[in-house]
């Protein structure tokens, strides 16, 4: 084997094909294929047939009108939005937008190269080029000057510089001279991305230790458009059951059953809203999947039914290791159906993990996934609808899985090197598909630690075994923001930290921040202090109740955002780089931690010990969410308190809310509260509603309306209802923030308004030595409020 760098040569032959070209460059083979007007696939191989990667991409090539041309120097292919220029000698690629501006291009010296089995694509590095995303990666918001590996790893107690972590999403977004693009490297071997690190910014590159160069280039006029195109390529999330967006309580572990009952009763008695209680590995018999410990949980079905009657869902943990114990039904059936991973000599791979010596299901094969789905009926027959997939990198004691073990990989015999990164992805796919089959028309909830690009089609993600500390709290925020830019819209972190013990101030601040996260769960390790909202004293209990209650008030907005994630792929939490990528203020300091919930709510995380914080508000005007105070854009130094998280609503914001309920299954008071924030701008917000639990929405059983605000023409329009679902809201109260007019009309008729002081979050005055903060931070005063029936027909409010 020649380990000298071997760059692809000059084009020796090529043929036009539908949507692109295919040909040879010396002894290498290439193909360029447009998948739509904005996505182009690039393949290069030393083999005559390209390697198959069947799991991530679900988009089939569409019929694209391509303007193809050839001259002595190059081949060019142009769609409406993207132009690809292929230099012939040597083979090099340049990507341009419809205006002819360069978005990305191969390095002229090295281009696509091989070093032994490793394949690499070297790219030019433009001045001021910004790199975003990459999913579950620490470091700064702008990835320039850093490098990263994609190799799913059990990263217990990781920190900001630990790499790799649990999940691999080899997709990044570049912004070159203000113009965004995306590259998804669909190769499941261990891959490496270098954004100018250790080469004095000569080039940027991505590589895989084996396999083909196989990537998709995405053009978008904005970062949000790039994310949406990537979602078309790899899929959007399922619409989650509404209960999975509520507050979730977990620890390692709640047992026996009377402890679980006590946790549920305490939430309800203290009127702290919650929807989910988790059972970690101690619910099993000897840590064996598809079992319950008869002594600790003698009546699991009764437990699940009792908690359901209180408005709680139960989610159980599942690990991939199956104990090698004859007589254990799951093991015996797995041996009989031949679904376990093997060595090349045909013997089953065995390693030690929680249940002891274990075999591992081959989830990369359809047969393995179907078997796992059948086993899942053990849980669904008990009434379970939620499944937490852990240890699925796969992890085992020693953390050194031999590379020679073999997987079926959808009909291909491949080694651990190619299969590892998709193992957890395919495990949670098997779990989701099995649950969906068994529970009928209900929507299951699945959660995973490991995954690969496309995992969002089956599961939410949590960021693994974090540590109790302010640095981890902020790291978790950045990881969720980055996962959102990598196509995973519903993710979260363990509030309070899994490793170590949180203190009262840290827990209060962490929970306040997580109120605005897509996945909202408290979790803590074995043999540490209790970590329920009431476990840190009365002040923290009250702060926790206030923020969790705010989460439930925001549920109409959050559920609508989840619907938008399902339909167009935009994340619920958005790094400022999604909407403000050309504002270079966002790439430094604490602005890197900031995010918006949807378009409208800007959350500025601060640590638990800060008395003052510097926050950055991007372009336009903002309103302090808890006081209604108008704030200009720019840098601000603000006072912080334990209970006051800096949150701002953008001018033009349209935020549907409701009253506080104790669970998503509880009906509201029937009044939809629509908060509109004045600005000299035009904005719109979808409002979406369905039954929150079934797939009936696919057959038209939904309630959807577009709400438009026009500050220039002085109107708010709520378009007519779509869908045949009957809204649970019968009354509409429109809260007008920052509106100065005293004259309003509804559908052309004069309408009166009331003035009201409202609290979006309650103050914690009993513990506050400075009660004047109550006036400053917690009351939106003298709001104009218009109350009317929630008619299904179009409604227009105007003012003079």
């Amino acid at each position: 084997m020649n380990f000298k760098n071997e760059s692809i040569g000059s084009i020796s032959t090529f043929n036009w094909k539908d949507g692109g070209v295919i040909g040879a460059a010396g002894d290498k083979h290439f193909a360029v294929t447009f998948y739509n007007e904005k996505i182009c696939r690039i393949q290069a191989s030393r083999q005559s047939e390209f390697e198959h990667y069947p799991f991530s991409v679900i988009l089939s090539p569409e019929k694209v009108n391509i303007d193809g041309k050839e001259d002595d120097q190059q081949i060019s292919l142009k769609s409406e939005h993207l132009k690809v220029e292929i230099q012939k000698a040597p083979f090099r690629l340049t990507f341009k937008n419809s205006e002819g501006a360069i978005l990305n291009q191969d390095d002229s010296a090295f281009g696509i190269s091989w070093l032994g089995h490793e394949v690499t694509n070297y790219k030019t590095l433009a001045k001021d080029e910004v790199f975003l995303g990459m999913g579950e990666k620490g470091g700064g918001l702008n990835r320039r000057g850093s490098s990263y590996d994609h190799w799913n790893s059990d990263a217990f107690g990781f920190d900001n510089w630990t790499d790799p972590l649990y999940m691999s999403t080899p997709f990044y977004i570049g912004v070159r001279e203000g113009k965004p693009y995306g590259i998804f490297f669909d190769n499941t071997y261990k891959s490496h991305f270098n954004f100018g690190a250790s080469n004095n910014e000569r080039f940027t590159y991505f590589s895989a230790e084996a396999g083909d160069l196989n990537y998709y280039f995405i053009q978008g006029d904005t970062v949000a458009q790039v994310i949406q195109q990537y979602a078309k390529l790899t899929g959007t999330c399922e619409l989650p059951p509404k209960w999975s967006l509520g507050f979730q309580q977990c620890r390692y572990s709640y047992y026996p059953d009377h402890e679980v009952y006590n946790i549920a009763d305490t939430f309800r008695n203290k009127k702290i809203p919650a929807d989910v209680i988790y059972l970690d590995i101690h619910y099993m018999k000897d840590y064996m999947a598809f079992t319950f410990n008869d002594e600790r949980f003698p009546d699991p079905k009764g437990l699940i039914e009792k908690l359901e009657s209180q408005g709680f869902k139960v989610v159980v943990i599942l690990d991939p290791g199956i104990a090698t114990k004859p007589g254990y039904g799951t093991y015996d059936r797995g041996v009989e159906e031949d679904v376990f991973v093997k060595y090349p000599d045909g013997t089953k791979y065995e390693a030690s993990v929680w249940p002891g010596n274990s075999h591992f299901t081959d989830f990369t094969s359809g047969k393995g996934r179907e078997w796992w789905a059948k086993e899942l009926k053990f849980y669904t027959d008990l009434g379970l609808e939620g499944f937490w997939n852990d240890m699925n990198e796969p992890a085992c004691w020693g953390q050194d899985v031999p590379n020679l073990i073999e997987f079926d990989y959808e009909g291909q015999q491949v080694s651990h090197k190619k299969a590892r990164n998709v193992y957890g992805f395919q495990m949670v796919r098997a779990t989701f598909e099995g649950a969906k089959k068994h529970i009928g028309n209900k929507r299951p909830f699945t959660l995973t630690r490991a995954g690969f690009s496309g995992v969002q089609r089956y599961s939410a993600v949590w960021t693994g075994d974090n540590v109790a500390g302010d640095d981890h709290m902020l790291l978790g925020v950045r990881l969720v923001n980055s996962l959102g830019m990598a196509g995973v819209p519903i993710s979260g972190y363990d509030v309070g930290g899994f490793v170590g013990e949180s203190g009262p101030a840290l827990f209060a601040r962490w929970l306040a921040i997580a109120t605005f996260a897509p996945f909202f769960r408290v979790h803590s390790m074995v043999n540490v202090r209790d970590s329920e909202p009431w476990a840190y004293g009365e002040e923290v209990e009250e702060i926790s109740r206030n923020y969790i209650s705010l989460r439930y008030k925001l549920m109409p907005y959050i559920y609508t955002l989840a619907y938008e994630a399902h339909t167009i792929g935009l994340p619920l939490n958005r790094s400022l780089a999604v909407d403000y990528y050309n504002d270079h203020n966002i790439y430094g300091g604490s602005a890197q931690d900031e995010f918006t919930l949807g378009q409208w709510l800007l959350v500025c995380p601060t640590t638990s010990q800060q008395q003052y914080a510097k926050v950055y508000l991007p372009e336009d005007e903002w309103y302090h969410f808890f006081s209604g105070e108008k704030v200009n854009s720019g840098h601000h130094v603000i006072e912080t308190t334990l209970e006051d998280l800096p949150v701002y609503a953008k001018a033009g914001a349209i935020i549907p809310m409701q009253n506080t309920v104790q669970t998503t299954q509880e009906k509201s008071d029937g009044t939809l509260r629509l908060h509109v924030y004045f600005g000299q701008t035009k904005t719109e917000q979808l409002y979406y509603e369905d039954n929150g639990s079934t797939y009936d929405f696919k057959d038209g059983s939904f309630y959807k309306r577009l709400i438009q605000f026009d500050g220039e023409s002085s109107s708010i329009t709520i378009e007519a209802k779509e869908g045949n679902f009957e809204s649970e809201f019968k009354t509409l109260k429109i809260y007008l923030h920052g509106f100065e007019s005293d004259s309003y009309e509804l559908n052309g008729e004069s309408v009166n308004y009331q003035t009201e002081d409202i609290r979006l979050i309650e103050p914690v005055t009993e513990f506050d030595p400075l009660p004047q903060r109550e006036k400053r931070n917690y009351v939106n005063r003298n709001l104009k409020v218009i109350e009317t029936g929630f008619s299904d027909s179009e409604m227009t409010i105007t003012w003079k």
Side-chain angles (χ1 to χ4, degrees):
M1 174 65 68
N2 178 14
F3 284 94
K4 183 179 179 181
N5 189 69
E6 183 184 345
S7 181
I8 193 169
S10 300
I11 294 178
S12 52
T13 181
F14 82 95
N15 293 301
W16 297 98
K17 63 166 188 164
D18 287 344
V21 295
I22 189 167
D27 60 351
K28 312 299 189 299
H29 300 269
F30 71 88
V32 177
T33 310
F34 275 76
Y35 270 51
N36 65 20
E37 298 281 357
K38 291 175 175 282
I39 301 176
C40 184
R41 183 183 189 182
I42 308 299
Q43 294 169 278
S45 178
R46 292 193 292 194
Q47 310 302 319
S48 58
E49 292 188 7
F50 296 115
E51 196 159 338
H52 188 42
Y53 301 96
F55 298 118
S56 293
V57 172
I58 62 168
L59 181 67
S60 298
E62 300 170 359
K63 186 170 182 58
V64 182
N65 184 22
I66 299 295
D67 180 13
K69 296 179 180 178
E70 179 199 6
D71 59 31
D72 292 342
Q73 304 298 318
Q74 70 175 20
I75 304 163
S76 69
L77 303 95
K78 185 179 180 181
S79 71
E80 182 181 354
H81 296 283
L82 177 61
K83 183 178 183 181
V84 182
E85 295 177 350
I86 309 170
Q87 178 183 296
K88 289 183 174 180
F91 179 96
R92 299 290 185 266
L93 295 166
T94 298
F95 300 89
K96 297 180 178 180
N97 65 11
S98 59
E99 298 173 349
I102 294 175
L103 301 175
N104 178 269
Q105 61 185 166
D106 286 353
D107 176 79
S108 60
F110 306 119
I112 300 169
S113 298
W114 284 263
L115 191 63
H117 293 292
E118 182 180 83
V119 62
T120 304
N121 196 173
Y122 295 90
K123 300 284 189 179
T124 61
L125 186 55
K127 183 180 180 181
D128 297 329
E129 191 165 5
V130 169
F131 300 97
L132 304 167
M134 299 291 285
E136 196 179 63
K137 298 294 180 186
L141 174 57
N142 184 358
R143 306 301 191 183
R144 186 175 180 129
S146 300
S147 62
Y148 303 90
D149 288 325
H150 289 281
W151 184 247
N152 292 356
S153 301
D154 183 357
F156 179 85
F158 61 93
D159 62 26
N160 189 48
W161 309 112
T162 304
D163 186 67
L165 295 175
Y166 303 94
M167 178 166 295
S168 296
T169 49
F171 168 64
Y172 74 88
I173 299 168
V175 182
R176 179 174 175 139
E177 297 180 354
K179 300 172 182 64
Y181 66 88
I183 288 180
F184 169 45
F185 185 26
D186 189 10
N187 178 315
T188 62
Y189 287 93
K190 184 177 183 179
S191 61
H192 182 74
F193 286 70
N194 181 304
F195 299 108
S198 304
N199 63 55
N200 289 341
E201 299 194 331
R202 172 173 175 175
F203 46 60
T204 179
Y205 66 87
F206 50 92
S207 64
E209 65 176 17
D212 288 350
L213 186 79
N214 178 51
Y215 73 92
Y216 296 80
F217 186 88
I218 301 172
Q219 185 275 334
D221 293 336
T222 64
V223 166
Q225 285 186 17
V226 173
I227 295 170
Q228 288 175 271
Q229 289 297 317
Y230 175 75
K232 288 183 179 179
L233 188 68
T234 63
T236 61
C237 68
E238 289 280 323
L239 181 59
K242 187 182 287 187
W243 59 262
S244 69
L245 298 171
F247 180 73
Q248 310 188 28
Q249 183 68 45
C250 183
R251 81 161 295 145
Y252 168 33
S253 296
Y254 289 129
Y255 71 93
D257 56 359
H258 65 76
E259 183 174 351
V260 180
Y261 287 126
N262 181 61
I263 293 293
D265 290 342
T266 306
F267 271 107
R268 295 296 176 246
N269 292 336
K270 289 182 174 290
K271 296 201 176 302
I272 300 175
D275 267 84
V276 184
I277 297 175
Y278 281 72
L279 299 182
D280 209 324
I281 58 175
H282 289 103
Y283 81 85
M284 304 178 194
K285 178 182 179 181
D286 299 327
Y287 306 129
M288 295 188 298
F290 309 104
T291 68
F292 264 88
N293 184 299
D294 291 341
E295 294 182 3
R296 294 170 178 167
F297 295 92
D299 182 14
K301 187 176 181 66
L303 170 75
I304 293 159
E305 289 174 349
K306 170 66 166 134
L307 293 179
E308 178 78 35
S309 72
Q310 295 177 280
F312 286 100
K313 297 291 185 178
V314 175
V315 175
V316 294
I317 197 168
L318 270 174
D319 292 347
I322 302 300
T324 56
K325 296 180 179 179
Y328 164 37
T330 296
Y331 168 75
D332 291 340
R333 289 185 291 273
V335 171
E336 181 181 353
E337 297 197 31
D338 192 25
V339 296
F340 297 129
V341 175
K342 297 176 182 177
Y343 286 106
D345 65 1
T347 58
K348 297 177 185 64
Y349 169 62
E350 188 173 39
S352 184
V353 70
W354 288 115
N357 293 339
S358 301
H359 292 328
F360 293 80
T361 308
D362 185 355
F363 293 109
T364 70
S365 76
K367 182 172 71 170
R369 293 192 300 273
E370 289 171 10
W371 171 80
W372 183 266
K374 286 188 293 185
E375 291 296 307
L376 206 73
K377 196 170 185 297
F378 169 81
Y379 292 117
T380 56
D381 281 352
L382 297 173
L384 288 167
E385 301 169 25
F387 306 93
W388 170 22
N389 296 248
D390 194 15
M391 303 291 285
N392 56 345
E393 291 72 32
C396 55
W397 307 152
Q399 305 299 344
D400 193 11
V401 176
N403 280 331
L404 83 167
I405 61 174
E406 293 183 340
F407 297 75
D408 184 70
Y409 203 88
E410 218 74 320
Q412 308 171 53
Q413 288 300 307
V414 306
S415 75
H416 174 249
K417 285 189 172 186
K418 187 173 181 179
R420 181 180 182 89
N421 276 343
V422 294
Y423 187 82
F425 172 17
Q426 295 306 294
M427 177 189 176
V428 78
R429 172 186 177 183
T431 302
F432 176 83
E433 290 177 343
K436 185 177 180 181
K437 178 180 178 181
H438 297 318
I439 66 176
N441 193 35
K442 290 184 179 179
R443 297 177 229 160
F445 170 68
T446 47
L447 180 68
T448 187
R449 189 169 81 174
F452 192 76
S453 295
V455 71
Q456 69 273 3
R457 302 197 300 268
Y458 306 109
S459 184
V461 170
W462 103 102
T463 59
D465 297 335
N466 61 354
V467 179
D470 281 298
D471 54 344
H472 256 267
M473 178 178 68
L474 298 180
L475 171 58
V477 170
R478 293 194 299 276
L479 292 176
V480 168
N481 292 348
S482 185
L483 281 163
M485 288 189 285
V488 181
I490 300 179
S491 64
Y493 32 76
D494 288 338
V495 174
F498 178 70
V499 182
E501 294 189 348
S502 180
L506 176 62
F507 183 87
R509 178 43 39 114
W510 208 328
L511 185 135
I513 294 169
T515 295
F516 302 91
F519 173 67
F520 188 17
R521 182 180 81 163
V522 170
H523 186 34
S524 57
M525 195 173 177
V526 70
N527 297 325
V528 298
R529 64 170 295 168
D530 290 346
S531 196
E532 295 77 39
W534 54 84
Y536 294 91
E538 292 182 14
E539 181 180 14
V540 173
E541 178 183 329
E542 193 169 340
I543 292 170
S544 299
R545 181 185 298 104
N546 288 344
Y547 275 96
I548 295 172
S549 296
L550 176 61
R551 170 75 168 212
Y552 283 75
K553 290 178 183 177
L554 285 166
M555 193 56 66
Y557 180 53
I558 292 171
Y559 192 62
T560 297
L561 294 178
Y563 175 77
E564 290 181 321
H566 166 63
T567 52
I568 62 176
L570 286 176
L572 280 70
N573 280 182
R574 302 173 191 177
S575 159
L576 297 189
V578 174
D579 291 326
Y580 307 101
Y581 52 89
N582 282 329
D583 181 347
H584 289 280
N585 290 296
I586 72 171
Y587 297 114
S590 60
Q592 298 178 92
D593 303 327
E594 296 177 12
F595 63 93
T596 60
L597 177 62
Q599 301 178 75
W600 307 128
L601 287 181
L602 172 62
V603 181
C604 304
T606 60
T607 67
S608 62
Q609 303 302 319
Q610 285 180 267
Q611 293 182 325
Y612 294 91
K614 188 176 182 179
V615 301
Y616 179 69
L617 308 184
E619 64 182 36
D620 218 333
E621 292 182 328
W622 299 83
Y623 294 79
H624 191 286
F625 190 48
F626 300 145
S627 71
E629 176 189 3
K630 189 179 289 186
V631 187
N632 292 326
S633 61
H635 294 284
H636 298 270
V637 176
I638 61 169
E639 182 185 4
T640 64
T641 64
L642 188 60
E643 69 273 16
D644 181 23
L645 178 70
V647 182
Y648 301 88
K650 189 175 181 179
I654 304 165
I655 305 173
M657 297 177 67
Q658 64 180 22
N659 69 305
T660 300
V661 291
Q662 295 302 302
T663 166
T664 58
Q665 298 178 58
E666 179 185 333
K667 290 292 184 183
S668 72
D669 64 1
T671 298
L672 182 68
R673 295 152 172 86
L674 189 66
H675 291 262
V676 183
Y677 293 79
F678 185 82
Q680 293 293 336
T681 184
K682 294 181 180 180
T683 60
E684 61 182 34
Q685 173 64 47
L686 187 71
Y687 173 71
Y688 178 81
E689 190 182 341
D690 61 25
N691 64 25
S693 62
T694 73
Y695 287 97
D696 289 352
F697 72 94
K698 289 182 177 291
D699 296 321
S701 184
F702 59 82
Y703 186 100
K704 184 164 64 173
R705 305 180 79 165
L706 185 67
I707 306 169
Q708 297 171 313
F709 168 81
D710 190 336
E712 297 173 357
S713 66
S714 303
S715 66
I716 299 169
T717 300
I718 304 173
E719 293 188 355
K721 161 193 172 180
E722 294 180 47
N724 55 34
F725 184 77
E726 183 178 346
S727 175
E728 73 169 282
F729 298 107
K730 307 304 177 188
T731 302
L732 176 66
K733 291 181 74 172
I734 303 175
Y735 292 83
L736 302 173
H737 298 255
F739 285 68
E740 296 181 355
S741 174
D742 290 323
S743 176
Y744 295 86
E745 291 184 349
L746 172 61
N747 293 339
E749 300 289 334
S750 180
V751 63
N752 294 324
Y753 65 84
Q754 307 292 322
T755 59
E756 190 175 329
D757 292 347
I758 67 162
R759 300 183 190 276
L760 297 175
I761 194 167
E762 297 296 320
V764 186
T765 55
E766 181 180 348
F767 308 97
D768 192 341
L770 299 173
Q772 66 267 24
R773 283 202 290 248
E774 176 188 352
K775 296 180 181 179
R776 186 173 71 249
N777 289 340
Y778 293 101
V779 185
N780 280 252
R781 297 194 178 280
N782 296 313
L783 284 184
K784 297 180 174 70
V785 184
I786 297 173
E787 184 170 350
T788 183
F790 197 30
S791 165
D792 290 342
S793 57
E794 182 173 302
M795 306 168 65
T796 300
I797 294 173
T798 57
W799 57 91
K800 297 179 181 179

